[in-house]
Amino acid sequence: MESVLFEEDHEAYRQVVHQFVERSVVPHQDRWAEERLIDRATWLEAGRQGLLGLAVPEEFGGAGVTDYRFRAVLQYEIARVGASSLQSGFSTNDDIALNYLLRHADAEQKARWLPGFVTGETIGAIAMTEPGAGSDLRGIKASATAVDGGWRLNGSKTFITSGILADLVIVFANTTDGFSLFVVEEGFDGFTRGRKLDKVGLHAQDTAELFFEDVFVPRANLLGELGQGLTYLKQSLPLERLGIAIAGQASAEAVLAWTVDYVKERTAFGQRIADFQVPAHQLAHLRTAVEVSRAYVDRCVSEYNAGTLTAVDAAKAKAWATQLQHDVIDAGVQLHGGYGYMLEYPVARAFIDARVQRIYGGTNEIMMEIVQKDLLR
Ligand SMILES: Cc1cc2nc3c(=O)[nH]c(=O)nc-3n(C[C@H](O)[C@H](O)[C@H](O)COP(=O)(O)OP(=O)(O)OC[C@H]3O[C@@H](n4cnc5c(N)ncnc54)[C@H](O)[C@@H]3O)c2cc1C
């Protein structure tokens, strides 16, 4: 059963994305992984091709397209070539940082920041997690103290996606009225970046620690209202989790396709691997699971477009699709035999990249907390 999510416009857009991926992503993936960084030029090229900041209103240089299916097309095409690090950078930029700005920035801030999200000149990051607090964000220690004309921000953040490249970081910090969101920009005194973190996977992703030492944040860089950070966070999480769910679904579909191709080619004991009943049934089960899951993830996209995607359904989609991604990739590695363990094979890279999908954006255990609270209240 094929997905019926996309229409003609989305398929036309897919051609643009496809060309971008083939020309500007595929040839560079190995080097990015070695350098632990994606070229800025790639972001600029994505901007030129109209792949970034689609939701930015026309008055700020964007296309004003809020139909999330276009973002989904980008996710599926990037997953097709296993460029998970790029996917996570683009998602953090568009689904999280930009989403906060679109929702909560005032007119002056929008004019200042949004155009760069369309051209790729501004890369955004979100800094919530700290060394001592991740799932339980109420435990964060970063704090901002009111001073003449703004605030002094102190604290440190860790595991920040695009932490090295980011030009604009939305920082979650304690204030006297609760939690607030501050926009810290490249060049602010006292804002420094730590090393690129050495991760299990997502090797091309410049995940980093960030440090804030007496950083002066002017009043004009407070995002939304003081003390409303937690409320804003709750409003934004469904989209962040939908983005991760689609990345999981897209990766599961891609890896399943690579594995089917492989078992049809590879032979053992005088026959194709595909002709042994155990692998054949395993792949049949996975194909079934992937199709059924796609129906739910597609429905979440439609609900998001209609403004009705709930935090609970987004949590289900995130947990489900990322677990399925794990199951498919694990089987994919096994069915590739020893080659499945070699990083020159995309399935092996998908294996190490996928592990974090069940951790970030809220761990899958936290997703089940959200679901059980709704179920058992
Ligand atoms: C590659 C990568 C990129 C990331 N990017 C960003 C980013 O851009 N910005 C950002 O702010 N953060 C980012 N994160 C952080 C990520 O969101 C957190 O790591 C995640 O939310 C988990 O928090 P923690 O690491 O503190 O784990 P902990 O909260 O310490 O959790 C440890 C374990 O305890 C479990 N646990 C905790 N509470 C409960 C509970 N109530 N019930 C059951 N089990 C529970 C968790 O599920 C987990 O298994 C990133 C992380 C990684 C690895």
Side-chain angles (χ1 to χ4, degrees):
M1 197 181 278
E2 293 300 322
S3 164
V4 290
L5 184 67
F6 299 120
E7 296 174 23
E8 224 171 278
D9 286 356
H10 308 106
E11 294 307 333
Y13 183 70
R14 189 189 301 280
Q15 296 311 314
V16 178
V17 178
H18 182 81
Q19 281 176 14
F20 164 78
V21 167
E22 292 301 321
R23 259 203 321 255
S24 306
V25 177
V26 172
H28 307 297
Q29 274 178 278
D30 291 345
R31 183 173 51 79
W32 291 344
E34 272 163 36
E35 294 174 0
R36 301 287 202 259
L37 196 78
I38 292 163
D39 301 328
R40 225 167 226 286
T42 307
W43 287 80
L44 295 172
E45 182 57 23
R48 276 192 290 276
Q49 297 301 323
L51 308 185
L52 298 175
L54 278 179
V56 170
E58 285 177 24
E59 58 182 310
F60 303 115
V65 174
T66 51
D67 176 354
Y68 195 76
R69 289 177 292 179
F70 289 98
R71 282 270 314 121
V73 167
L74 187 64
Q75 302 253 58
Y76 280 102
E77 284 302 304
I78 291 178
R80 199 179 47 75
V81 299
S84 321
S85 296
L86 184 70
Q87 184 148 54
S88 102
F90 278 3
S91 268
T92 300
N93 194 63
D94 260 72
D95 297 335
I96 311 180
L98 176 60
N99 185 40
Y100 274 100
L101 298 180
L102 287 170
R103 280 172 168 273
H104 309 298
D106 62 28
E108 181 279 325
Q109 292 173 327
K110 283 183 174 162
R112 201 153 34 110
W113 293 321
L114 296 190
F117 275 80
V118 179
T119 59
E121 286 164 297
T122 305
I123 298 175
I126 180 92
M128 298 188 280
T129 308
E130 298 185 359
S135 302
D136 179 14
L137 283 177
R138 286 189 171 84
I140 65 160
K141 297 268 186 292
S143 66
T145 313
V147 294
D148 228 12
W151 290 267
R152 287 270 169 214
L153 175 65
N154 280 288
S156 68
K157 299 287 179 181
T158 194
F159 308 146
I160 305 307
T161 299
S162 300
I164 300 292
L165 281 178
D167 306 284
L168 179 157
V169 184
I170 300 173
V171 182
F172 196 72
N174 283 290
T175 45
T176 43
D177 326 61
F179 296 102
S180 303
L181 299 176
F182 297 95
V183 176
V184 172
E185 297 177 71
E186 164 60 14
F188 276 23
D189 273 351
F191 167 40
T192 52
R193 301 159 203 258
R195 63 199 167 90
K196 285 179 222 159
L197 296 168
D198 198 11
K199 305 188 296 300
V200 168
L202 290 185
H203 286 159
Q205 173 46 236
D206 54 318
T207 315
E209 293 168 286
L210 303 179
F211 303 100
F212 307 91
E213 204 181 328
D214 273 336
V215 176
F216 175 68
V217 182
R219 192 165 292 137
N221 279 31
L222 170 71
L223 195 56
E225 285 177 36
L226 208 60
Q228 291 303 305
L230 269 183
T231 309
Y232 296 161
L233 179 75
K234 284 183 190 147
Q235 291 167 351
S236 293
L237 282 172
L239 180 58
E240 173 175 354
R241 291 174 180 157
L242 174 61
I244 296 173
I246 294 173
Q249 177 71 29
S251 166
E253 290 185 16
V255 174
L256 185 61
W258 304 337
T259 306
V260 166
D261 287 347
Y262 187 82
V263 297
K264 284 183 181 169
E265 288 290 321
R266 179 82 176 169
T267 55
F269 300 97
Q271 64 184 59
R272 303 181 315 165
I273 302 292
D275 295 328
F276 292 105
Q277 197 180 40
V278 170
H281 276 203
Q282 195 178 9
L283 288 167
H285 281 295
L286 289 173
R287 175 70 197 178
T288 308
V290 161
E291 278 187 29
V292 172
S293 173
R294 178 66 184 260
Y296 190 84
V297 172
D298 280 359
R299 171 75 187 274
C300 286
V301 174
S302 303
E303 296 280 344
Y304 177 77
N305 276 348
T308 49
L309 179 66
T310 65
V312 177
D313 287 344
K316 289 174 194 160
K318 192 264 179 185
W320 182 268
T322 57
Q323 181 61 43
L324 178 66
Q325 176 187 17
H326 164 82
D327 296 345
V328 169
I329 296 175
D330 192 59
V333 167
Q334 192 70 15
L335 289 170
H336 278 73
Y339 295 103
Y341 201 63
M342 298 299 129
L343 281 179
E344 67 199 80
Y345 273 71
V347 70
R349 291 197 295 269
F351 181 72
I352 56 174
D353 289 348
R355 187 62 187 86
V356 74
Q357 286 267 97
R358 290 181 286 151
I359 296 174
Y360 62 18
T363 66
N364 284 9
E365 291 74 35
I366 295 297
M367 297 307 100
M368 288 305 106
E369 274 298 290
I370 295 169
V371 176
Q372 71 85 1
K373 276 185 189 143
D374 176 66
L375 181 68
L376 305 172
R377 69 187 161 183

